[in-house]
Amino acid sequence: MSDHELAEVLDSIDVDKNGAINYTEFVAATLDQKRFAGERHRIQDAFSAFDKNNDGIIDQDEIRELMLYTDNDEMIQIIEECDGNGDGKIDFQEFEALMKQ
């Protein structure tokens, strides 16, 4: 994914255009089926926007990096809502399942 494509994905998620993705915007983006229409490559692009170190999981540090105004309670809530296997991280399958709900 190019920097331009990443910027487009993040901009589409940042509804209030404040330069940060808050909890509501994160949840809305993961649930907005129209935006991603179940296309695996678009879901992968969105996942990659969060998975900064490309290790195949989204951890608290990566969410915190994109969501500057998120406190620890919101961080825990995001992880708990997305983390299907309870390991404290969001892998691609969990992210994809959430996006396709």
Side-chain angles (χ1 to χ4, degrees), residues 7-22 25 35 69:
E8 285 180 349
V9 170
L10 294 177
D11 187 56
S12 71
I13 295 170
D14 184 17
V15 176
D16 62 9
K17 305 301 182 205
N18 70 351
I21 298 169
N22 63 32
E25 291 166 333
R35 182 174 297 156
Y69 304 108

Side-chain angles (χ1 to χ4, degrees), residues 3-55:
D3 289 343
H4 177 72
E5 291 170 324
L6 174 60
E8 285 180 349
V9 170
L10 294 177
D11 187 56
S12 71
I13 295 170
D14 184 17
V15 176
D16 62 9
K17 305 301 182 205
N18 70 351
I21 298 169
N22 63 32
Y23 172 73
T24 303
E25 291 166 333
F26 177 83
V27 172
T30 59
L31 296 177
D32 186 355
Q33 294 178 23
K34 290 180 183 171
R35 182 174 297 156
F36 297 104
E39 298 175 31
R40 188 172 178 87
H41 74 277
R42 296 289 292 170
I43 294 170
Q44 182 64 53
D45 287 350
F47 181 82
S48 295
F50 289 96
D51 183 19
K52 293 293 195 181
N53 65 2
N54 297 314
D55 65 354

Side-chain angles (χ1 to χ4, degrees), residues 60-73:
Q60 290 184 11
D61 291 334
E62 290 166 323
I63 294 173
R64 189 175 292 115
E65 183 179 330
L66 287 172
M67 302 173 65
L68 300 176
Y69 304 108
T70 301
D71 64 29
N72 200 44
D73 290 338

